[in-house]
Amino acid sequence: MSATEPAVTPDLAAAHGLKPDEYARILKLIGRTPSFTELGIFSAMWNEHCSYKSSRIHLRKLPTKAPWVIRGPGENAGVIDIGDGDACVFKMESHNHPSFIEPYQGAATGVGGILRDVFTMGARPIACLNLLRFGRSTHPKTRQLVAGVVAGIGNYGNSFGVPTVGGSTEFDASYDGNILVNAMAVGLARTDSIFYSAAAGVGNPIVYLGSKTGRDGIHGATMASASFEEDAEEKRPTVQVGDPFSEKLLLEACLELMASGAVIAIQDMGAAGLTSSAVEMGAKGNLGIELDLDAVPCREEGMTAYEMMLSESQERMLMVLKPELEKQAEAIFRKWGLDFAIVGKTTDTLRFVVKHRGEVKADLPIKELGDEAPLYDRPWTQTPQQTASDPGSIKAPFSNRDALLKLLATPNLCSKRWVWEQYDHLILGNSVRPPGGDAAVVRVKEGPKGLALTTDVTARYCAADPYEGGKQAVAESWRNITARGATPLALTDNLNFGNPERPEYMGQFVGCLQGIGEAARALDFPIVSGNVSLYNETQGAGILPTPAIGGVGVIADVSKAAQTGFAREGDTILLIGQTKGWLGQSAYAHDLCGRADGAPPPVDLAAERRNGDLVRRLILSGRVSAAHDISDGGLAVALAEMALAGDMGAEITHLPEGLRRAALFGEDQARYLVTVAQGEAAAVMKECAEAGAPVQAVGRVGGDALILPGEAPILLTELREGHESPLPAFMGGDDNAFSGAFPTEVS
């Protein structure tokens, strides 16, 4: 041990996030007290963020395979075959805690990290999405956090040169002290040119690539694996600093290097930096790794081995290269103005050895650091079942007309244009369907093929019934993609939950995964990548369980992708799917009536499959002029969104089963609105009936107002003003921007 390093004690281990039994396991494993650097390495590799020690046992139960899946979980990103020799590479990850501490850099580096995960696989990024959750609009930090996060996402993506094409932004009191910033990236590669992270060959050079190492982000992964207490602001030094221009250079250099044939293995330096990237490469390849930190390019003087191993400086990669192509590889990186340094070699020892200034700072068994981190089967309790609410008991003191206007002005249902207009969603020129609809559609190369992309989750459903909420999150992603006419192929997830050491929160996690798994199997929608973010709580209060789902689908011809907005005067509006008027856990009950009780709507996966397949066929047949799935806010909100998107009104003349309020605002699942030419309505309805899908003609497109049964018309100008103005007004400093509805802060 160096004289400048502190003595390792149980208290110091605890300060590194290691439990007493974990520290005892380390002592038994290596047969001695670890050095300070070794303690840092263990703390990084065995924390929740890197090891998934509380979740691995349950993640193994998820469906991850299908004929079109090239690579499932376990790599930097998932890979699926989308035909014609093309592969889609994608993943979602969280940057929750860093974004609360320092919203701009936290969100920006979240985008940078997920982009690296994609191009590390040999793919060129073509799109980004996100899922954002903030606290109450009345909370004193919310406005600042929203502004910082949106700016960080926009500036990084815009500067890097990739469009941000979709996302989801909502507010709830449970996120007051722990916001969620989940970033998703999607890229394209050839199916025969995918790169992986397992090291191969003994004696091959390990090369450090990209930007220099600094002291930013040290203990970032450990911080991400702990709950927030009153000292959250003091953790600001653990947040990384991003440089999108350096990342763009790194992308181009990596892709050129991959094309040269020099790369054996490649790994992004993400959470836990040099430590995790080196250990994972060696452990996956059943090899040892030896590093010489004297060769690591540093931007700060006097960095210790401990600091270099735990730094999470951005825009860095680690590669194993073919020795004979080393000079060629170096020339490529020098051309792009990036650091290139041989920092180690692969060995046959199965040891992770770190040297610095002539001293061995770490000598540890590599498999135990990576593949054999602690694994816990945490105790969990099932979330108590809630009974279905009586729709008659849920009634706001407003007319249906006013209820719709108020819902459209709530924080969660108002227009998020203020957010997505700060993102460049048109760069690269392949965005066919922009943000604001069910799913974004992005052209693949020159087309005509395209990808449909979405992120979504309804957290209040998951809190009320984790199993049904997990099913619904997958089904919603399926419907979003289907409503464009695309075939859903695979998903990525970002599982955001509270403290797994508390049985009630662990029960939410287990229940949601059971629902996600069942829905993914029923819909042939495998999970190919993802991230788990636990300990999302502040001073003992956990967030709503928020298993974000990112979905990817393919459409053979983007010109056939359905639009959300009404497109043709006189079209008949068809409601496909069964409506019972389920108001429990609806936005109407929650935001207008202050009701947090009741079971969420059940998800019939057979109906989801049947109705979705039918809607997709109708869209691709060319008979559907507009399509939209029905979700938050029910039929009334879906109609309003279609009217606003198309700048065209509609009159609703019939509602299911004679219901009014419950039919308009209930959130029954497996439902879509489609518009067809009046002369084709009968034939389309017959096709629906033959497929076993309930269908009803509910009205007609046309005019400059939305007219609900028995209500005065709502002019599109009034509808648009009420929907579009609240968020810009709030961000401009108006504390009453969302007034007029029951506070969405009720959880």
Side-chain angles (χ1 to χ4, degrees), residues 36-76:
F36 183 54
T37 300
E38 288 174 331
L39 179 68
I41 290 170
F42 272 110
S43 76
M45 293 305 300
W46 283 16
N47 65 52
E48 194 72 58
H49 193 74
C50 292
S51 72
Y52 294 87
K53 58 190 175 186
S54 298
S55 59
R56 292 202 316 270
I57 194 170
H58 300 287
L59 295 173
R60 292 168 180 167
K61 302 171 186 175
L62 294 174
T64 60
K65 296 180 179 179
W68 52 89
V69 174
I70 296 174
R71 180 70 197 205
E75 273 293 339
N76 288 290

Side-chain angles (χ1 to χ4, degrees), residues 381-580:
T381 56
Q382 187 171 349
T383 301
Q385 291 278 305
Q386 297 201 46
T387 57
S389 301
D390 173 15
S393 71
I394 301 174
K395 189 176 188 308
F398 317 115
S399 67
N400 290 335
R401 179 191 189 279
D402 289 347
L404 174 58
L405 287 170
K406 291 179 184 297
L407 272 179
L408 289 171
T410 58
N412 289 345
L413 290 179
C414 74
S415 169
K416 302 306 186 299
R417 183 181 299 274
W418 181 91
V419 173
W420 57 260
E421 282 194 340
Q422 297 186 54
Y423 310 147
D424 188 337
H425 58 273
L426 297 175
I427 194 169
L428 301 181
N430 288 317
S431 301
V432 178
R433 294 285 181 263
D438 291 299
V441 178
V442 178
R443 185 183 294 105
V444 172
K445 300 178 182 175
E446 297 80 24
K449 183 171 57 183
L451 295 173
L453 311 170
T454 183
T455 60
D456 221 321
V457 65
T458 306
R460 65 180 183 277
Y461 290 176
C462 297
D465 187 331
Y467 172 69
E468 287 294 337
K471 285 166 60 180
Q472 194 275 339
V474 173
E476 174 70 9
S477 179
W478 160 273
R479 290 198 301 271
N480 287 341
I481 292 168
T482 294
R484 289 301 196 195
T487 300
L489 288 182
L491 58 83
T492 182
D493 57 29
N494 204 132
L495 307 173
N496 306 278
F497 290 83
N499 186 342
E501 297 169 51
R502 295 175 61 173
E504 66 272 27
Y505 291 150
M506 195 66 206
Q508 292 177 340
F509 180 83
V510 172
C512 282
L513 254 68
Q514 289 172 343
I516 289 169
E518 182 172 335
R521 277 184 286 270
L523 299 173
D524 285 336
F525 207 19
I527 300 106
V528 300
S529 61
N531 172 246
V532 178
S533 176
L534 303 178
Y535 295 96
N536 287 292
E537 63 174 39
T538 305
Q539 299 185 51
I543 63 166
L544 291 176
T546 313
I549 298 294
V552 173
V554 68
I555 185 167
D557 186 348
V558 294
S559 69
K560 295 183 178 180
Q563 64 181 58
T564 301
F566 292 141
R568 198 165 50 202
E569 292 267 352
D571 273 1
T572 298
I573 305 169
L574 299 181
L575 168 61
I576 296 175
Q578 187 173 21
T579 298
K580 294 183 177 179

